[in-house]
Amino acid sequence: MKLGFVVLTYNRPRALLAVLRALAPQCTSDMTVVIADDGSTAQNVAAMRSAMPAFACPVRHLWHPDVGFTAARARNQGAANADCDYIVFLDGDCVPNAHFVQAHVALAEQGCFVNGSRVLLSPALTARVEQREAELQQMGTAGWLQLRLSGDVNKLSHLVDWPGAPGRVHERFKWKGIRSCNFGVWYRDFKTVNGFDESFEGWGHEDADLVLRLHHADVKRKNGWCATEVFHLWHAENSRAREAVNRQKVLIREHSAIVRAEQGLGQLHHGAAPTVTDLN
């Protein structure tokens, strides 16, 4: 199984670099990392590239112009360029725990996708991580307990490493807890459903739509708690202007048998190709 990581980013180089610093030691030479850039400015791209950690595997930076929130397209472009059997999608503000890659490998199963979980960080702790004043992977149990007591993290599930825990697989579509910021899927299954649906406009529920269509394609949800946690750096909420419309679209599709995205992987050739740069 060849692994590929697609890391979504937009104008937040310090957060992205924290993600990459945590991912780099876990990647072996047969893996691929693709930074899927949804239109960051030249200044922010330069800041990221100037401080890139060393990876044993190829790292590619895919960039397309900023035309608004087009995360679905950026992720599709990243997946199409990942050259892998199994994709793990990450957001550029979600720092993987120290056994993240190992846990995703352990949980990968034919006929399933893995819905990862996250630990939310406070604004204060986020600032310390971005400024390299706190290294989350080096934090001991006592340190995490102190952070939980101070309200700097919302839970401590990452302290329990239990990939073999029972009750992970869901037979039915379950909306709650879907996270495209930490999500593993076989590329052939992703291709079967035509990837993320770019017809969703603005923030909201394109990830739930992907999970629903995977469910319609008989691919089961497998939860990644106590295994694949990421540390979600704090940020202000994105605009929710289209959330209700997008949610209604998924609710309508829930009562259909739709499998393939209206506008997804198969339609990438209709738009402008992204700029692709090898970083190592």
Side-chain angles (χ1 to χ4, degrees), residues 31-239:
M31 300 177 184
T32 305
V33 174
V34 179
I35 300 169
D37 197 324
D38 198 22
S40 296
T41 65
Q43 181 179 3
N44 283 319
V45 169
M48 176 271 292
R49 293 186 182 180
S50 67
M52 270 283 297
F55 277 83
C57 66
V59 181
R60 298 177 187 134
H61 179 231
L62 270 65
W63 179 92
H64 62 220
D66 184 2
V67 292
F69 187 90
T70 55
R73 183 168 185 82
R75 289 191 178 107
N76 283 341
Q77 289 172 339
N81 284 271
D83 185 28
C84 64
D85 304 311
Y86 192 86
I87 309 169
V88 177
F89 291 97
L90 266 173
D91 277 4
D93 57 6
C94 290
V95 180
N97 72 52
H99 52 261
F100 176 83
V101 173
Q102 178 184 350
H104 265 289
V105 171
L107 290 176
E109 179 182 349
Q110 300 290 344
C112 294
F113 63 87
V114 173
N115 184 76
S117 59
R118 63 181 183 170
V119 177
L120 302 180
L121 273 59
S122 69
L125 181 55
T126 293
R128 290 174 59 205
V129 171
E130 291 187 356
Q131 294 164 15
R132 304 199 67 174
E133 295 173 358
E135 293 293 343
L136 299 175
Q137 288 71 29
Q138 298 174 13
M139 194 83 65
T141 301
W144 283 112
L145 288 171
Q146 184 176 355
L147 289 172
R148 182 69 183 98
L149 290 171
S150 64
D152 284 306
V153 296
N154 70 325
K155 59 184 179 181
L156 296 172
S157 57
H158 61 286
L159 295 180
V160 181
D161 183 15
W162 193 12
R168 290 191 180 277
V169 177
H170 288 272
E171 297 290 335
R172 299 180 179 180
F173 172 67
K174 183 181 179 182
W175 191 303
K176 184 178 179 180
I178 294 171
R179 306 288 182 209
S180 57
C181 64
N182 177 7
F183 190 91
V185 62
W186 293 94
Y187 183 74
R188 64 175 172 272
D189 292 333
F190 189 69
K191 188 174 180 181
T192 294
V193 301
N194 203 24
F196 285 95
D197 195 334
E198 299 170 27
S199 69
F200 280 71
E201 297 179 15
W203 181 92
H205 307 307
E206 75 281 352
D207 46 8
D209 173 72
L210 173 66
V211 167
L212 175 65
R213 289 183 287 105
L214 285 166
H215 171 73
H216 287 166
D218 296 322
V219 184
K220 296 181 177 63
R221 171 177 173 170
K222 190 174 185 179
N223 289 316
W225 37 263
C226 293
T228 66
E229 275 80 5
V230 295
F231 307 114
H232 195 167
L233 303 175
W234 181 89
H235 60 81
E237 284 193 347
N238 293 312
S239 170

